């Protein structure tokens, strides 16, 4: 099976594809530093650097399209019809590639808030655009800590499977019968008839954490459990043993630790030791290592990620970032330590992708 990776970053989909025995034959990203890392890990000709819109005609044939796509605001031109307009955005590139090459599958990934952005207009636009391409669509909100990673990171995965004339209803891939057991039907029964599904343009202010979409309609539900949840990995299990003092707090930052209010509780698996202003000022939060890490971001500022590790107060190292995201320690060694934080924070975690890939291919 052959795959391509759009908006590839440092290759989270590529790492997972290798683990699944899938051949990643083409990739693209506009970031020079991300491309430098990609070439170091996967070969000098493994990625095309530049605006993806310039390379659509050069993509080779493939069975699987993958993308951790950027979410630009969609035009309000289509709002009168209840959805937005994807034309002129980077997401349109995905639609054009699917139209041109018609791969058997696709896997897309984005942030949790996509389900509720602008009262659901963003996700409605995405579903509407994809469901008009003769694919059956399924999405699910997944959390990295349920898949063996030491962090709370919720991401929406959207998969598509090309439909044929014999397809009566879409297959459910991202939810087990146990996951669906709280609904008034089970995975072994027939889905509600398509006529009973809601029209995408009549979406609510937020989409549920799981659902299906075909032919302009969707059916979804907020699932309470995740039947394949793994035992949580604690942050302290992936920390480096010998860390230089360049990662420690300065004397200036240590002073405000003394004025923090003790919290000593866990929030979504994250241990919070203390903060100021009831948590309103994230820069003053001190995290512990007996839980999981909070969501890592692509911001180059580390002020909200300070930890008490033994008797030390420090930020996480770039290698610890790699481990938290599910990458090898040296994956981003081609660029500076400073640049590695943003690249890891912006990456899709390979273990999450691997779980999704194995469900559909």
């Amino acid at each position: 099976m052959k795959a391509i990776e759009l908006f590839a970053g440092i290759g989270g989909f590529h790492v997972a594809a290798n683990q699944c025995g899938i051949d990643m034959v083409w990739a693209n990203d506009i970031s020079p530093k991300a491309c430098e890392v990609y070439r170091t890990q996967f070969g000098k000709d493994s990625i095309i650097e530049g605006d993806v819109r310039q390379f659509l005609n050069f993509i080779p044939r493939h069975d699987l399209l993958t993308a951790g796509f950027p979410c630009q605001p969609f035009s309000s031109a289509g709002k009168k019809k209840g959805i937005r307009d994807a034309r002129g955005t980077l997401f349109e590139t995905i639609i054009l590639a699917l139209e041109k090459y018609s791969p058997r599958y696709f896997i897309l990934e984005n942030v949790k808030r996509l389900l509720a952005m602008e009262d659901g207009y963003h996700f409605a636009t995405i579903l509407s655009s994809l469901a008009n391409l003769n694919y059956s669509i399924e999405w699910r909100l997944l959390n990295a800590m349920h898949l063996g990673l030491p962090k709370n990171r919720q991401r929406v995965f959207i998969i598509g499977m090309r439909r044929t004339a014999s397809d009566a209803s879409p297959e459910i891939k991202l939810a087990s019968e146990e996951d669906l057991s709280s609904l008034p039907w089970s995975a072994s029964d027939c889905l509600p008839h398509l006529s009973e599904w809601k029209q995408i343009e009549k979406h609510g202010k937020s989409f549920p954490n799981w659902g299906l979409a075909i032919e302009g309609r969707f059916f979804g539900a907020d699932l309470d459990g995740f039947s394949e949840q793994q035992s949580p990995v604690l942050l302290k299990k992936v920390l480096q043993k010998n860390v230089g003092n360049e990662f420690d707090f300065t004397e200036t930052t240590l002073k405000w630790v003394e004025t923090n209010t003790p919290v000593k509780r866990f929030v979504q698996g994250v241990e919070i030791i203390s903060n100021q202003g009831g948590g309103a000022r994230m820069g003053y939060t001190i995290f512990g290592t007996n839980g999981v890490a909070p969501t890592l971001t692509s911001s180059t500022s580390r002020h909200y990620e300070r930890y008490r590790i033994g008797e030390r107060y420090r930020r996480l190292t770039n290698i610890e970032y790699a481990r938290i995201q599910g990458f090898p320690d040296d994956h981003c060694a081609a660029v500076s330590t400073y640049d590695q934080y943003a690249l890891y924070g912006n990456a899709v975690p390979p273990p999450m992708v691997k779980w999704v890939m194995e469900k559909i291919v």
Side-chain angles (χ1 to χ4, degrees):
M1 179 168 289
K2 300 182 185 299
I4 67 165
E5 188 173 18
L6 305 180
F7 313 107
I10 59 174
F13 280 101
H14 198 141
V15 172
N18 287 349
Q19 295 169 350
C20 292
I22 297 171
D23 186 14
M24 191 67 73
V25 296
W26 193 87
N28 168 262
D29 200 272
I30 200 170
S31 165
K33 293 186 184 300
C35 289
E36 185 177 355
V37 169
Y38 205 100
R39 293 187 189 101
T40 301
Q41 293 299 324
F42 308 116
K44 65 177 183 178
D45 298 323
S46 60
I47 191 167
I48 303 297
E49 182 179 332
D51 190 329
V52 66
R53 290 169 288 196
Q54 299 176 5
F55 303 106
L56 270 178
N57 292 331
F58 304 100
I59 297 175
R61 289 288 172 181
H62 52 278
D63 307 289
L64 169 65
L65 179 148
T66 69
F69 63 96
C71 189
Q72 298 168 291
F74 293 111
S75 167
S76 61
K79 190 173 181 180
K80 290 182 292 184
K81 297 181 180 179
I83 57 174
R84 300 285 178 125
D85 192 340
R87 288 175 296 179
T89 66
L90 289 172
F91 181 76
E92 186 192 21
T93 307
I94 295 173
I95 301 301
L96 294 174
L98 291 172
E99 287 178 331
K100 183 176 180 64
Y101 298 102
S102 191
R104 187 175 178 185
Y105 307 105
F106 65 77
I107 303 174
L108 311 179
E109 177 263 354
N110 212 283
V111 296
K112 174 186 177 181
R113 66 188 181 93
L114 181 68
L115 295 173
M117 284 176 65
E118 285 200 85
D119 294 333
Y121 282 120
H122 274 60
F123 199 64
T125 304
I126 288 167
L127 282 188
S128 180
S129 300
L130 294 172
N132 288 330
L133 296 178
N134 200 36
Y135 283 87
S136 60
I137 315 299
E138 184 178 5
W139 76 88
R140 185 161 189 184
L141 184 67
L142 299 173
N143 196 322
M145 69 177 173
H146 297 156
L147 292 167
L149 290 175
K151 63 174 178 178
N152 174 47
R153 186 184 182 99
Q154 297 186 74
R155 288 295 185 269
V156 178
F157 281 84
I158 308 166
I159 66 172
M161 292 174 285
R162 195 175 61 218
R163 289 171 58 80
T164 65
S166 61
D167 290 338
S169 61
E171 294 183 74
I172 296 173
K173 297 290 188 179
L174 302 183
S176 68
E177 187 165 354
E178 182 180 345
D179 295 333
L180 302 170
S181 61
S182 62
L183 302 182
W185 52 273
S186 70
S188 60
D189 297 328
C190 293
L191 287 166
H193 191 271
L194 183 61
S195 62
E196 299 177 38
W197 295 20
K198 184 180 290 188
Q199 294 180 4
I200 293 176
E201 64 264 26
K202 295 182 180 179
H203 60 86
K205 290 189 175 182
S206 174
F207 283 83
N209 62 24
W210 169 84
L212 305 163
I214 54 173
E215 300 175 7
R217 293 178 177 269
F218 78 96
F219 173 83
D222 284 310
L223 304 183
D224 296 328
F226 182 53
S227 61
E228 298 185 43
Q229 180 172 330
Q230 301 175 21
S231 299
V233 174
L234 301 183
L235 177 59
K236 62 184 178 183
K237 296 293 185 180
V238 302
L239 297 178
Q240 289 183 266
K241 293 183 179 179
N242 299 305
V243 175
N245 57 16
E246 67 269 23
F247 295 96
D248 288 347
F249 279 21
T250 64
E251 291 186 9
T252 300
T253 53
L254 278 172
K255 289 181 180 178
W256 54 252
V257 174
E258 301 174 359
T259 66
N260 268 15
T261 301
V263 176
K264 297 182 180 179
R265 65 189 180 99
F266 290 82
V267 178
Q268 295 183 314
V270 179
E271 183 184 20
I272 300 178
I273 294 175
S274 66
N275 60 27
Q276 290 189 358
R281 302 179 69 184
M282 286 296 289
Y284 294 85
T285 298
I286 303 297
F287 298 107
T289 63
N290 293 309
V292 298
T295 301
L296 306 183
T297 75
S298 59
S299 169
T300 54
S301 173
R302 306 271 62 82
H303 65 275
Y304 44 75
E305 291 163 4
R306 301 188 186 279
Y307 295 78
R308 188 180 71 190
I309 301 174
E311 298 301 316
R312 296 172 65 180
Y313 291 91
R314 68 170 175 86
R315 60 191 173 100
L316 297 176
T317 70
N318 52 311
I319 290 176
E320 289 163 347
Y321 255 51
R323 295 173 181 178
I324 289 170
Q325 286 283 65
F327 286 92
D329 287 1
D330 62 350
H331 190 82
C332 286
V335 298
S336 70
T337 297
Y338 178 84
D339 289 327
Q340 289 183 42
Y341 284 107
L343 292 174
Y344 282 128
N346 196 44
V348 57
M352 299 184 78
V353 176
K354 183 173 182 286
W355 185 87
V356 175
M357 280 185 174
E358 289 178 337
K359 292 300 178 185
I360 68 170
V361 300

